[in-house]
Amino acid sequence: MGVTRRTVLRAVTAAGATGVAGVGGVVGASQIALAAGARAASAPGDVVGKVTVGYQGWFACAGDGAPINGWWHWAQNWGQSPSTSNKAIVAWPDVRDYPTTYRTAFGNLGNGQPASLFSSYDQSTVDVHFRWMKEYGIDTAALQRFNPTGGEGPTRDAMAGKVRGAAESQGVKFYVMYDVSDWTSMQTDIKADWVNKMRAHTGSPAYARQNGKPVVCVWGFGFNDNQRPFTPDACLDVINWFKQQGCYVIGGVPTWWRTGGGDSRPGFSGVYHAFDMLSPWMVGRIGNAGDADNFYNVATVPDLAECAAHGIDYQPCVLPGGVTERQRAHGDFMWRQFYNMGRAGAASAYISMFDEYNEGNQIAKTAESPLWVPAGSGLAALDEDGTACSSDYYLRLTGDGARMLKGQIPLTAVRPTPPVAGGDTAAPTAPGSLRATAVTDTTVTLAWTASTDDIGVTGYRIRRITGAGATPIGTAPGSATTFTVTGLTASTSYTFDVQALDAAGSVSQPSGQVTPTTTAGGSPTIDLALNRPTAESSHTQVYGSGNAVDGQANSYWESANNAFPQWLQVDLGDSVGVRRIVLALPPATAWATRTQTVAVQGSADGASFSQLLGASARTFDPSTGNTTTLALPAGTAARHLRLVFTSNTGWPAGQVAEFRVYGA
């Protein structure tokens, strides 16, 4: 892993949060008054008047298919599994919402679960991240793009496509943010990369635009260090070239860009003033609320005034604080920054960062207590200062900060966001009706009815039960009620149960157990309708609808006579994929051959039905088993299935002895 921004920039914070008033001069009352009433130079767009998060998207795992082929950014040695002695992170992610995770060499979590990590290369991971952004009120993501000409390039290229797909599907904006650190041939390469690769993404409806122009950011011009030794002329050439391409150009600039001292090289004023928007860096500059207040006076207020005077938009940086450095103060540090931006009159904000688990300043879901951190790893959790915080706390805090900056909630110095949502103290209820809905040689698909919680279910833990006890084998997000167990052995019985989890780390009692047996080959053999609830239009004598799903070939449903159309319905419990319906009549030869005309309808709620298969004549012949198979189109899913009968050549009623439903 390359040197991080924080590692490099700590060296240039000697001016720091103390004594910096002398760098920018004393802030006068006129400057404060100007800032308090400040407005952005541009009207609201996808970055002005919005909250943007920095998105690294740089985590990979062995076996995820990424071209980089290793534990990218999770481990110091990417070729070896992350462990206590081989780690590149200082905070542990909460992985309960991810459909796919990868087992590491860390010891189990404090709660006994295996220590697994996500891969940014999995589209499902990026989808989860952008779903969180949408859910918690984050408007835009700045995709970090480092020098793409080296070995990391192919993986970064692929990540751009994955971010585009997630942004489009989740309704979040994104743009490319180039980091020019250690990129010696940047002046030529960045133009070629934009023209040949990144510009194509501006055609996406999710690509951020400001003032009608596609947004691009360049981070690193003017920093006074050896990683970014570019001249003012080279930087101006790049900025003006992007403007000629029709772009709105943001500059990620040094903290002291305005004064030209501290972390800024002298002679870069023309470079800074050439940008359409300025976003001064703050990570490593402040570490507590007092620092934030000092920077409000010596940086934020005069910076905003300078931008307003030159028609430049301003996007100050807000950070949650480093977990390892114990800076977060259960949200007080971050909220003080939001408050200061609000009282200064800033219209926009840049959050550093969304997923930076390497430096520990991430807002994405993070282990909330030692129960969710690998035992003995030395990694801190969000409760490091003794205050319980839910794993999504900093996402919620960011959402409230965004609402305050937009005027949707009042400006307040007191954070309105509780560390644990709603004071969650109760465990969820146990998942209900656990069952296997599909079985193959190597997989079992489980389904259950959703748990309830006083605040909300955040995930489900799937466990395999053996003589040695219960072993967690996977997790599903809180919105899911199905999970497919893979990697099983054919013709083998397995026992499973499921537990529900909430944001406070509480765990429900286990569901009931289910023991399916994998097949030896061929189609899945689980009858999804067996013993499920039924409904009907009518029945005669003792031939009710429950007879059709009792697994008994000689009991049957029969509707009222001479009263077509008639229908028979089954509730599968959840919306599941359905590919085959097998109907049977009793096998006795006394049931002479007959043809029934039947259609299939489906519904998610049992009230509104749509046609899944049109009416067709189906022949039942005792000499061939007295059955018929109805094949449904690929992709068919329904919770309620209804058979509609309009004729029967053997008897003037609908008749079914077995109503079997299969997922494949």
Side-chain angles (χ1 to χ4, degrees):
M1 182 179 71
V3 181
T4 64
R5 292 178 182 177
R6 173 179 291 182
T7 304
V8 173
L9 298 180
R10 277 177 178 151
V12 294
T13 57
T18 59
V20 289
V23 177
V26 177
V27 180
S30 62
Q31 284 181 306
I32 295 176
L34 174 60
R39 293 292 182 269
S42 301
D46 291 338
V47 289
V48 173
K50 299 296 191 296
V51 167
T52 299
V53 292
Y55 188 72
Q56 301 284 25
W58 64 8
F59 294 102
C61 301
D64 63 3
I68 206 159
N69 191 30
W71 293 92
W72 193 33
H73 289 274
W74 287 126
Q76 292 288 346
N77 179 354
W78 297 353
Q80 300 294 324
S81 180
S83 66
T84 299
S85 61
N86 182 36
K87 63 180 185 285
I89 55 174
V90 299
W92 190 263
D94 175 4
V95 300
R96 285 174 284 185
D97 281 3
Y98 298 102
T100 302
T101 56
Y102 299 81
R103 185 74 177 267
T104 71
F106 279 98
N108 285 347
L109 306 185
N111 57 22
Q113 293 188 46
S116 297
L117 293 167
F118 67 79
S119 168
S120 304
Y121 196 76
D122 288 330
Q123 183 67 59
S124 62
T125 292
V126 189
D127 290 343
V128 165
H129 287 164
F130 276 72
R131 174 168 58 81
W132 288 347
M133 294 179 202
K134 185 67 173 180
E135 179 180 352
Y136 292 99
I138 296 166
D139 304 292
T140 306
L143 173 62
Q144 313 295 287
R145 188 163 176 82
F146 296 78
N147 182 351
T149 63
E152 298 181 7
T155 302
R156 292 196 180 279
D157 293 348
M159 285 307 306
K162 295 174 189 293
V163 164
R164 173 177 179 170
E168 290 174 350
S169 67
Q170 301 301 322
V172 174
K173 299 295 183 179
F174 79 102
Y175 62 85
V176 173
M177 183 177 187
Y178 286 104
D179 187 319
V180 299
S181 304
D182 300 311
W183 193 355
T184 55
S185 55
M186 175 277 303
Q187 189 176 358
T188 300
D189 291 349
I190 199 170
K191 299 172 186 176
D193 185 74
W194 179 257
V195 170
N196 297 329
K197 295 180 179 179
M198 293 299 102
R199 185 168 62 184
H201 294 299
T202 65
S204 168
Y207 198 88
R209 290 183 172 270
Q210 183 61 50
N211 304 342
K213 302 175 181 180
V215 176
V216 66
C217 179
V218 181
W219 189 96
F221 285 173
F223 281 91
N224 190 16
D225 57 59
N226 294 329
Q227 284 188 289
R228 291 158 281 267
F230 310 109
T231 66
D233 286 346
C235 296
L236 277 171
D237 172 66
V238 169
I239 296 169
N240 290 329
W241 182 86
F242 272 112
K243 286 188 172 183
Q244 291 165 7
Q245 304 303 304
C247 295
Y248 175 95
V249 189
I250 302 174
V253 297
T255 309
W256 304 113
W257 66 275
R258 177 176 42 81
T259 64
D263 60 348
S264 173
R265 296 177 184 272
F268 269 73
S269 178
V271 173
Y272 301 142
H273 288 90
F275 284 110
D276 295 304
M277 171 180 271
L278 289 176
S279 187
W281 190 240
M282 288 296 288
V283 175
R285 306 315 200 242
I286 59 175
N288 56 53
D291 290 348
D293 285 350
N294 190 32
F295 266 74
Y296 167 80
N297 288 313
V298 301
T300 304
V301 170
D303 280 1
L304 190 53
E306 176 82 358
C307 286
H310 288 81
I312 300 170
D313 296 316
Y314 183 57
Q315 186 191 57
C317 185
V318 174
L319 46 144
V323 176
T324 301
E325 288 88 345
R326 307 295 199 268
Q327 294 175 338
R328 296 198 172 201
H330 49 272
D332 286 345
F333 174 52
M334 189 178 192
W335 190 257
R336 191 66 188 181
Q337 297 167 69
F338 273 124
Y339 170 68
N340 286 341
M341 301 311 167
R343 67 183 174 130
S348 317
Y350 178 86
I351 310 300
S352 176
M353 293 285 215
F354 184 84
D355 55 341
E356 177 57 283
Y357 294 97
N358 305 100
E359 296 180 353
N361 62 329
Q362 74 291 336
I363 63 169
K365 293 188 181 183
T366 300
E368 66 259 35
S369 75
L371 288 174
W372 299 96
V373 173
S377 65
L379 300 176
L382 293 184
D383 66 348
E384 46 79 20
D385 69 348
T387 300
C389 297
S390 58
S391 66
D392 71 341
Y393 178 43
Y394 289 89
L395 290 168
R396 291 189 287 113
L397 200 67
T398 298
D400 278 351
R403 284 185 282 275
M404 186 172 70
L405 292 183
K406 295 173 184 177
Q408 297 169 355
I409 61 175
L411 179 68
T412 174
V414 179
R415 54 174 169 74
T417 318
V420 176
D424 192 350
T425 58
T429 61
S433 303
L434 181 66
R435 58 199 181 279
T437 59
V439 176
T440 70
D441 295 3
T442 58
T443 68
V444 169
T445 299
L446 303 173
W448 57 89
T449 56
S451 299
T452 59
D453 184 68
D454 57 335
I455 302 301
V457 174
T458 58
Y460 292 94
R461 178 190 304 160
I462 293 83
R463 307 191 305 176
R464 179 183 171 191
I465 312 301
T466 65
T471 302
I473 57 172
T475 57
S479 58
T481 53
T482 64
F483 182 86
T484 299
V485 184
T486 61
L488 304 179
T489 302
S491 302
T492 304
S493 294
Y494 294 88
T495 299
F496 305 100
D497 69 13
V498 177
Q499 293 175 305
L501 314 169
D502 67 15
S506 299
V507 181
S508 77
Q509 292 295 312
S511 68
Q513 297 179 358
V514 63
T515 307
T517 300
T518 52
T519 60
S523 299
T525 57
I526 293 292
D527 177 6
L528 306 181
L530 183 64
N531 296 319
R532 297 299 303 167
T534 60
E536 60 187 18
S537 54
S538 65
H539 72 269
T540 187
Q541 300 178 36
V542 296
Y543 306 118
S545 57
N547 292 343
V549 296
D550 63 2
Q552 303 298 317
N554 290 308
S555 65
Y556 60 95
W557 164 77
E558 183 173 299
S559 72
N561 296 336
N562 299 303
F564 288 118
Q566 295 288 326
W567 54 265
L568 169 65
Q569 181 176 315
V570 64
D571 179 358
L572 302 179
D574 292 289
S575 181
V576 297
V578 179
R579 289 302 307 276
R580 292 184 298 133
I581 296 174
V582 177
L583 304 181
L585 292 177
T589 56
W591 283 75
T593 300
R594 65 199 62 205
T595 298
Q596 300 190 76
T597 301
V598 58
V600 182
Q601 298 177 349
S603 171
D605 57 10
S608 176
F609 283 81
S610 61
Q611 192 90 326
L612 302 180
L613 200 63
S616 61
R618 299 288 171 167
T619 299
F620 296 80
D621 185 348
S623 67
T624 57
N626 230 5
T627 66
T628 187
T629 298
L630 290 71
L632 298 176
T636 298
R639 172 175 175 171
H640 302 269
L641 288 176
R642 176 179 288 183
L643 306 174
V644 180
F645 295 83
T646 53
S647 70
N648 184 344
T649 60
W651 191 258
Q655 297 173 314
V656 176
E658 294 185 63
F659 181 3
R660 302 197 297 263
V661 179
Y662 299 96

